[in-house]
Amino acid sequence: MDESATVGDTPKRDGFLRRALEELGLVSMYASSGDVKLLCLQRFVRMFAYGVSTLILVAYLDALSIPKTEIGLFMTLTLVGDICISFFLTLFADALGRRAVLALGALLMTASGVVFALSGSYWVLLVAAVVGVISPSGNEIGPFRAIEESIAAQLTDPKNRSDIYAWYNLLGLVGTACGCMACGWILQHFTETLQWDMIRAYRAMYFGYAIIGLLKLTLSLLLSHSVESEKKLQESRPRDGERRPLLEGSTEINSPPKGRLRALFPDISKESVPVVITLCLLFALDSFGSGLAPLSWITYYFKSQFGIEEGTLGSIFFVTQTIAGASMIVASSLAKRFGNVNTMIFTHLPSQIFRSLLGVPSDVRIALAFLILNSSMQSMDTGPRSAFLATIVLPAERTAVMGTVNVVKTTAQSLGPILTGFLVDRNLFWVSFVGSGGLKILYDLGLLAFFKNKEKERERAERLRIQEDEEQQQEGNTNS
């Protein structure tokens, strides 16, 4: 009897284990292609480097005796440079080749690290930050994310996208967390054990940043040809009858010829234009709020306000970023039940209340409690937002639209740091936190008003399109 009970319990345990793995998104991740796994690894490596830079950027410029207002201007102009480069590279990425653009971005990242490690001139560093890839906020910067998310959408079934995006973004946050902690303790080793001065230690960390850029370049070159846009794949095999990519859309027949320059630009449908404009306005509001209190300024606030050492500071932000990353897996499970838009709004909004209160407490323990509460929910909207964007726009438009949205977000975010620098010089740090949280709450309410029902309509349309494409492909195989 005991043996039969044990045999009967085994399928139940296996079924429970599988359901748990499905809820965590690990089944989808395991079943994903090698290219998708490489993209997630690239995201971790890149965000590790950004975590290193975020912890020390403001402190490095401060050690060079640069005024706070000029530091804010530096960060703003860095984001402006990213706007120009990201807009150009993402706009033409599908035509020029996604792998090539990702590799070019990695080279720019490496070049920036080398310049920061060798120079102490404000203007030289500014040029390197504007032309290259240095994250002033700890968030994504450069052309990478829009291209990678477009590739992931192309290679992933719609029902699994929220899982893939959750792990993609989770690995990014964990990368930032690990970068912050590693930077903090290595920096403390350089200054306390080896007795290096701070500027020398900071420059050594930027040499490490450049080396990570080379690792990112290697990972970009390992991607297969299937990551290229569907149109480019069709052009590369016009007479090939092999199986097409999973989510390939129907091609236009007898479309009018384009000039060489015009052919580089993507086509945006008329129905997508109002959607993209509304999204851009809402994301601009959210990003301006983020720009008022970026991670680099938050780390500087805790260091200057409470005198926390670099190693401890790095560990604190390792914990908060890890918590934020873990919350993304919960968000993926919630999105399957309540939809991407509802999950985005009702997880993101409460966290912004705590963000608004960060500058109020004079007790470090209360301030850290608010920081942890903010971190526990602030990133839960990230995976569902990526899945929502991939659903709301047509497949041929994804790279361009995601790139445009990222450019708008970066543009809005670039206005924040210079204002924050102005406020910090006048001992009004708390105002930037209140403004940041308040603007992001307005973004949540706007998203609820405009897109509560729009997502389901687009999701049904995409599933119907995929089904029709699969039927056409089966008919073609039967006739051949």
Side-chain angles (χ1 to χ4, degrees):
M1 183 174 179
D2 291 340
E3 291 181 1
S4 62
T6 304
V7 172
D9 288 342
T10 301
K12 292 181 180 179
R13 284 198 299 269
D14 292 344
F16 174 78
L17 179 60
R18 181 170 181 82
R19 284 195 300 272
L21 293 175
E22 286 176 349
E23 288 295 330
L24 292 173
L26 290 171
V27 173
S28 300
M29 197 66 204
Y30 179 79
S32 65
S33 68
D35 286 320
V36 171
K37 293 181 178 70
L38 268 177
L39 291 177
C40 292
L41 181 58
Q42 284 190 56
R43 168 86 166 165
F44 174 85
V45 170
R46 182 172 69 254
M47 296 306 291
F48 184 96
Y50 291 170
V52 170
S53 177
T54 296
L55 191 70
I56 63 174
L57 178 60
V58 176
Y60 179 40
L61 297 176
D62 187 51
L64 295 173
S65 302
I66 298 172
K68 304 295 187 302
T69 302
E70 290 187 22
I71 293 175
L73 177 64
F74 183 98
M75 296 171 71
T76 292
L77 293 177
T78 298
L79 291 170
V80 170
D82 173 62
I83 292 166
C84 300
I85 292 174
S86 295
F87 182 72
F88 175 80
L89 292 180
T90 54
L91 189 64
F92 301 124
D94 285 355
L96 297 175
R98 292 171 176 174
R99 285 180 300 175
V101 172
L102 290 174
L104 176 59
L107 285 173
L108 292 174
M109 183 177 168
T110 300
S112 297
V114 171
V115 173
F116 267 69
L118 295 177
S119 178
S121 167
Y122 177 84
W123 296 106
V124 172
L125 294 176
L126 181 60
V127 171
V130 169
V131 177
V133 179
I134 289 284
S135 174
S137 60
N139 295 325
E140 189 65 83
I141 194 171
F144 307 111
R145 182 170 182 171
I147 298 172
E148 290 173 351
E149 288 185 345
S150 182
I151 294 170
Q154 178 177 309
L155 299 178
T156 306
D157 190 275
K159 67 178 182 294
N160 295 329
R161 280 183 194 150
S162 62
D163 291 335
I164 298 300
Y165 285 134
W167 279 98
Y168 172 83
N169 289 294
L170 164 63
L171 289 170
L173 277 178
V174 172
T176 304
C178 293
C180 281
M181 186 172 71
C183 177
W185 289 109
I186 292 172
L187 202 61
Q188 197 163 320
H189 173 72
F190 285 160
T191 55
E192 293 184 2
T193 305
L194 302 182
Q195 298 297 308
W196 289 9
D197 63 82
M198 292 303 299
I199 292 179
R200 183 185 178 189
Y202 289 143
R203 289 178 175 172
M205 298 311 301
Y206 277 110
F207 269 123
Y209 182 93
I211 292 171
I212 296 171
L214 292 176
L215 176 59
K216 167 73 174 65
L217 173 63
T218 304
L219 293 173
S220 298
L221 297 176
L222 289 175
L223 292 169
S224 74
H225 188 64
S226 63
V227 304
E228 302 296 354
S229 68
E230 296 168 0
K231 182 177 178 181
K232 199 171 185 67
L233 289 172
Q234 292 165 12
E235 290 173 352
S236 68
R237 53 171 193 268
R239 299 178 184 176
D240 194 353
E242 292 177 2
R243 186 171 61 90
R244 297 181 178 182
L246 178 61
L247 301 182
E248 181 173 280
S250 57
T251 59
E252 294 183 8
I253 301 174
N254 296 326
S255 59
K258 299 179 181 179
R260 269 187 194 177
L261 183 59
R262 180 67 185 88
L264 291 173
F265 288 88
D267 291 318
I268 304 296
S269 63
K270 290 182 180 179
E271 64 175 340
S272 294
V273 171
V275 173
V276 173
I277 291 174
T278 306
L279 283 173
C280 286
L281 291 174
L282 289 173
F283 286 145
L285 193 65
D286 177 58
S287 294
F288 181 59
S290 297
L292 286 174
L295 187 59
S296 51
W297 274 119
I298 295 175
T299 58
Y300 182 76
Y301 170 76
F302 276 90
K303 180 181 178 181
S304 60
Q305 188 76 9
F306 303 111
I308 301 174
E309 293 183 346
E310 283 81 2
T312 305
L313 193 66
S315 296
I316 289 171
F317 283 93
F318 170 81
V319 172
T320 58
Q321 293 294 97
T322 302
I323 291 172
S327 70
M328 287 182 175
I329 304 303
V330 179
S332 176
S333 181
L334 292 174
K336 294 173 186 176
R337 289 167 171 77
F338 305 110
N340 291 313
V341 174
N342 287 332
T343 303
M344 289 161 63
I345 296 165
F346 296 110
T347 58
H348 186 255
L349 194 150
S351 72
Q352 303 315 311
I353 297 172
F354 298 111
R355 186 183 186 91
S356 301
L357 298 173
L358 273 178
V360 175
S362 56
D363 188 324
V364 65
R365 291 168 295 184
I366 299 176
L368 287 173
F370 285 159
L371 179 68
I372 291 170
L373 288 169
N374 171 242
S375 300
S376 65
M377 292 178 285
Q378 71 170 355
S379 298
M380 289 181 77
D381 71 319
T382 308
R385 181 171 57 196
S386 298
F388 166 71
L389 269 177
T391 301
I392 209 73
V393 298
L394 300 176
E397 304 167 357
R398 282 186 189 126
T399 302
V401 170
M402 288 179 173
T404 302
V405 168
N406 284 342
V407 165
V408 170
K409 288 168 63 178
T410 307
T411 303
Q413 189 177 345
S414 69
L415 303 174
I418 189 170
L419 181 58
T420 303
F422 177 83
L423 292 171
V424 173
D425 259 345
R426 285 151 184 79
N427 201 28
L428 294 172
F429 222 139
W430 66 271
V431 176
S432 66
F433 289 125
V434 172
S436 175
L439 288 171
K440 292 168 90 63
I441 288 172
L442 287 177
Y443 151 77
D444 290 320
L445 298 176
L447 200 64
L448 180 65
F450 286 103
F451 290 103
K452 185 177 181 181
N453 299 316
K454 192 78 174 175
E455 179 190 13
K456 292 181 180 178
E457 298 173 9
R458 286 296 182 99
E459 192 172 34
R460 283 195 296 266
E462 182 175 10
R463 288 186 182 279
L464 181 61
R465 180 188 61 79
I466 292 171
Q467 185 178 350
E468 290 174 352
D469 288 347
E470 289 176 348
E471 290 174 356
Q472 290 176 4
Q473 185 176 332
Q474 289 174 0
E475 289 176 5
N477 292 337
T478 303
N479 293 334
S480 60

